[in-house]
Amino acid sequence: MSDDIDLSQAMPTEERFTAEAPDERAQPSELDRKINEHFAGAVVRKDLVKAVKGNAIVPSYVLEYLLGQYAASDDEATIQAGIDRVRDILAQHYVHRNESELVKSKIKERGRYRIIDKVSVTLNEKDDVYQASFANLGISSVVVDSATVTAHQKMLVGGVWCLCDVEYFHSDDAKVSPWILGSLKPIQMSNFDYDGYLAARAEFTTDEWIDLLIQSIGFDPEMFGRRAKLLQLVRLIPFVERNYNLVELGPKGTGKSHIYSEFSPHGMLISGGEVTVPKLFVNNANGRLGLVGYWDVVAFDEFAGKKKRTDKALVDIMKNYMANKSFSRGVETLGAEASMVFVGNTSHTVPYMLKHSDLFDELPESYHDPAFLDRLHFYIPGWEVEPIRSEMFSDGYGFVVDYIAEVLKSMRNLDYSDRYQKYFTLGSDISTRDRDGIHKTFSGLMKLLYPHEKAGPDEIEEILRLAVEGRKRVKDQILRMDKTMPGVKFGYADKVAGWRPVTTLEEDEFPNYYRTQQSEIDGDAATANELASLASPTKVPKASLGVPAAESLREGHLEFQENQRGISYDTLLLPYLQGSSEISIIDPYIRLPHQGRNLVDLLALLAVKKEPAEEISVTLVTKEDTSDPEHRQLLMLDYIQGSAAAFGIKFNVAWDETIHDRSIRADNGWKILLGRGLDIFQKGSNSHYDLSFHKQEFRQVAAFGITYIREIRHDSDGSSSSNGGIRG
């Protein structure tokens, strides 16, 4: 950077920085190599932030700004040298509040000293000057020239992290502050090559690009399914889309507010109860604009809470702003572009909220209002997001936060909302407000995933469907509150295949509780049993309805959505294995611990269901993991064999390097085709204290399909045979 920090005065690194450099890591992945090839200098290893942060209470984007200057490389020697340099910078120039007097002394003794601190500015009307306050240094009334304030107006609202040269000159005039601002540089990127960004995007597949964005947020993409990744990226839409209104309610600890406090210098996170009309919109006393006039994103943390006191005037002006992008100041109407984000915790399960109230149940009374909620463009189902665990963080390469923040900011001027119309058409009865919500979400996801506009119909359909679902979740809850609002058939028409309805995941999981005026209009309010009875004899009903009773088992196919719960081998497989004594499981990938656990879950169910005095033969046909010199797969399967034998399961393994498809065949005449084999569950937590560790029904599944085929085997006398191994 042009205004580089001078380390010639730096003293030895102090003991406060005790974090060691990251451990020796495995060789970079192919994706990491590709990232460094096409975005050299704009990416950083995401585990480095922890290595340099120490006890500095500073946003990640500040640390990544420094790492981007000195450690944006895939060369280990350069990285280690960069880490050491950033540590020295923090040790010498970051101001700790409990050491503010020491820093003041350095400024006085040296006359001029560079610091890293959060700077906010106010206008002193009496003296007609701007004055800066330094959050950690604890000094104020530092005069700032008008040109600096004009160039960096965010200092007027909320403050900005800066590199500052502060000088000291004592005056006999008690009214004159001895502190002088020599120079100020906000910690953010000044320019970037957008055309180069688009050209580099074209070098990545969609899956690779999504994984790069997930690593840029700081997460390991291997820990997330496709839907989970997209929900994480929806959190970024407010940064790339003007006046986007987003809500996320869910359990604690899922990282709802992290992105808005750490990801971008253009976002402001405030507590839901700490904002006023003057602070958020405009101060009528002095005409100063509030947060919405200077920040791209204003996020309200801890927004939920039924008993929270709220300012009705604030709610009213917020309604108008969210709908019309404007607010009134006396007789004058002002406009702004800030997106609004509302995040909060839920205290009840989804079925509980659906049965007793609605999915906005936790909001304060003033915000639990159809007119306010109808302004929301998307509802992120926070209950689908896994609680953050240490193993979910990435040590791969991602964009330096400040770089991607500037990219997203630059795309706020673009509109991709019509890019789906070449292939799809929204339903004709979708209202203008519903359509706006869908369009803004779709446009935001297009900018994030396909900024180069090279997306095929399947890729466009994926994000269009998610955009429709997010708005539908909002509208369905409003319909539960206000029966006078007309229902809407949410979906879109494929110009080739016709109408495609869209449902929410909780609607599929809990159809009996998800009854709304709209669902009754659509004819979707029938119970699971009613729908099952209407199913075609050759087709299994929708996945959310479960598997029919054993006496009415039917051939057919089921599809399950990612993040769906309530699925288990007990209901999915066991009914089709009744009456069998010989079972063959064909699955080429039973080698990792969680895959072995899935196999054990199935064998345990078979052991419980069989007659105690009988034995069942189970053969696993799989591939050998020849890449593991420690032979952990063989040891695992050998242990399972011994354990199963004690409970009447004769478990054997057959090796076949040619297999690919996954299936289960039983001697009762049923064959089950498994798209993902037994590996249908997301990895989740490995803690024995997590209920989902012990009950499959509590785990989230990956997206998968399953097909049931009836294979009647006849004996030599022409009669069909069935061995009574597993009880019904």
Side-chain angles (χ1 to χ4, degrees), residues 42-246:
V43 293
V44 70
R45 256 204 11 232
K46 287 297 174 172
D47 58 330
L48 299 184
V49 172
K50 291 182 181 179
V52 302
K53 188 166 187 176
N55 63 348
I57 306 174
V58 59
S60 295
Y61 65 79
V62 174
L63 298 176
E64 289 197 16
Y65 174 86
L66 297 174
L67 287 168
Q69 305 300 312
Y70 305 112
S73 170
D74 59 353
D75 177 71
E76 282 298 325
T78 303
I79 289 173
Q80 292 303 322
I83 289 174
D84 291 340
R85 192 169 188 189
V86 172
R87 282 177 173 170
D88 283 339
I89 291 172
L90 289 174
Q92 296 305 309
H93 302 284
Y94 173 76
V95 180
H96 291 261
R97 288 180 180 175
N98 60 350
E99 296 180 354
S100 60
E101 293 303 319
L102 175 62
V103 177
K104 289 179 186 177
S105 175
K106 290 180 181 180
I107 299 172
K108 178 182 184 301
E109 297 302 324
R110 300 180 185 182
R112 181 185 180 99
Y113 190 72
R114 176 159 290 189
I115 65 172
I116 299 174
D117 203 349
K118 188 174 185 180
V119 182
S120 56
V121 173
T122 57
L123 173 64
N124 183 333
E125 297 96 336
K126 183 177 180 182
D127 296 332
D128 191 30
V129 294
Y130 290 105
Q131 296 178 328
S133 299
F134 293 74
N136 290 355
L137 188 58
I139 62 174
S140 58
S141 302
V142 182
V143 175
V144 186
D145 63 87
S146 297
T148 300
V149 176
T150 301
H152 311 295
Q153 294 189 351
K154 288 182 181 177
M155 292 190 297
L156 292 166
V157 280
V160 176
W161 284 91
C162 301
L163 302 172
C164 304
D165 286 318
V166 181
E167 302 174 3
Y168 182 89
F169 183 81
H170 180 72
S171 171
D172 291 334
D173 187 349
K175 295 181 179 180
V176 177
S177 171
W179 307 106
I180 302 170
L181 182 63
S183 67
L184 178 146
K185 179 184 175 74
I187 295 180
Q188 59 188 72
M189 180 174 284
S190 58
N191 59 74
F192 68 97
D193 179 8
Y194 183 64
D195 291 335
Y197 174 81
L198 295 181
R201 164 62 185 96
E203 300 297 325
F204 291 78
T205 67
T206 299
D207 288 340
E208 289 173 338
W209 186 254
I210 289 175
D211 286 354
L212 169 53
L213 292 177
I214 293 297
Q215 287 185 179
S216 298
I217 295 173
F219 291 130
D220 179 359
E222 293 296 320
M223 300 298 297
F224 298 84
R226 178 72 165 216
R227 177 178 170 88
K229 292 175 185 177
L230 292 178
L231 290 178
Q232 288 285 345
L233 296 182
V234 169
R235 291 172 170 175
L236 298 181
I237 295 178
F239 292 103
V240 77
E241 195 73 20
R242 290 173 175 165
N243 301 104
Y244 186 75
N245 306 321
L246 177 67

Side-chain angles (χ1 to χ4, degrees), residues 154 188 192 239-240 242 264 266 294-296 337 403-414:
K154 288 182 181 177
Q188 59 188 72
F192 68 97
F239 292 103
V240 77
R242 290 173 175 165
S264 171
H266 304 303
Y294 299 98
W295 297 90
D296 290 350
E337 298 178 356
Y403 171 81
I404 190 62
E406 294 306 313
V407 170
L408 300 187
K409 181 178 179 64
S410 71
M411 288 195 289
R412 289 170 72 88
N413 296 324
L414 305 176

Side-chain angles (χ1 to χ4, degrees), residues 407-644:
V407 170
L408 300 187
K409 181 178 179 64
S410 71
M411 288 195 289
R412 289 170 72 88
N413 296 324
L414 305 176
D415 181 13
Y416 287 7
S417 61
D418 63 348
R419 301 304 193 268
Y420 71 89
Q421 294 177 1
K422 179 179 178 182
Y423 305 102
F424 307 102
T425 305
L426 292 178
S428 59
D429 64 338
I430 292 180
S431 69
T432 299
R433 188 161 285 170
D434 294 328
R435 194 175 296 265
D436 287 345
I438 295 168
H439 281 176
K440 291 180 78 68
T441 301
F442 177 82
S443 178
L445 287 173
M446 278 292 294
K447 294 177 193 177
L448 289 169
L449 301 183
Y450 310 105
H452 58 330
E453 300 191 63
K454 295 180 181 178
D458 291 342
E459 294 170 320
I460 286 178
E461 182 177 15
E462 178 183 40
I463 61 176
L464 176 62
R465 191 172 190 88
L466 183 63
V468 174
E469 179 194 336
R471 175 57 189 178
K472 182 180 192 296
R473 183 172 290 107
V474 172
K475 193 60 170 284
D476 283 357
Q477 304 316 302
I478 295 174
L479 290 172
R480 299 169 72 96
M481 305 176 198
D482 186 354
K483 300 296 185 181
T484 65
M485 293 191 71
V488 181
K489 290 186 177 181
F490 279 93
Y492 54 92
D494 182 331
K495 294 186 177 180
V496 176
W499 178 253
R500 299 187 182 183
V502 173
T503 59
T504 66
L505 182 55
E506 59 273 12
E507 182 178 7
D508 293 339
E509 284 188 291
F510 311 108
N512 291 337
Y513 299 134
Y514 205 92
R515 302 185 76 149
T516 64
Q517 177 193 14
Q518 177 176 326
S519 64
E520 291 166 3
I521 290 174
D522 291 343
D524 293 333
T527 65
N529 291 334
E530 290 170 340
L531 286 176
S533 67
L534 296 174
S536 166
T538 59
K539 184 178 181 181
V540 177
K542 196 174 184 180
S544 62
L545 309 179
V547 177
E551 61 271 13
S552 60
L553 297 178
R554 296 169 179 169
E555 294 183 286
H557 182 75
L558 289 171
E559 286 289 340
F560 292 84
Q561 294 188 56
E562 182 184 324
N563 291 348
Q564 196 165 340
R565 286 190 172 94
I567 311 302
S568 70
Y569 294 159
D570 195 5
T571 56
L572 197 68
L573 303 179
L574 260 292
Y576 290 87
L577 300 179
Q578 293 176 22
S580 59
S581 59
E582 293 184 7
I583 298 171
S584 176
I585 302 171
I586 302 174
D587 193 328
Y589 298 106
I590 303 290
R591 51 183 64 172
L592 299 177
H594 74 277
Q595 294 166 339
R597 172 188 170 191
N598 290 334
L599 174 61
V600 169
D601 284 346
L602 179 57
L603 296 180
L605 281 171
L606 295 175
V608 168
K609 289 290 186 178
K610 75 175 184 63
E611 293 288 348
E614 300 295 331
E615 291 184 339
I616 296 176
S617 175
V618 178
T619 300
L620 171 66
V621 183
T622 190
K623 290 182 179 180
E624 183 176 357
D625 183 8
T626 57
S627 64
D628 181 12
E630 299 182 20
H631 306 293
R632 281 169 289 195
Q633 179 195 31
L634 301 180
L635 294 173
M636 176 182 72
L637 294 176
D638 185 62
Y639 191 97
I640 292 174
Q641 184 178 52
S643 174

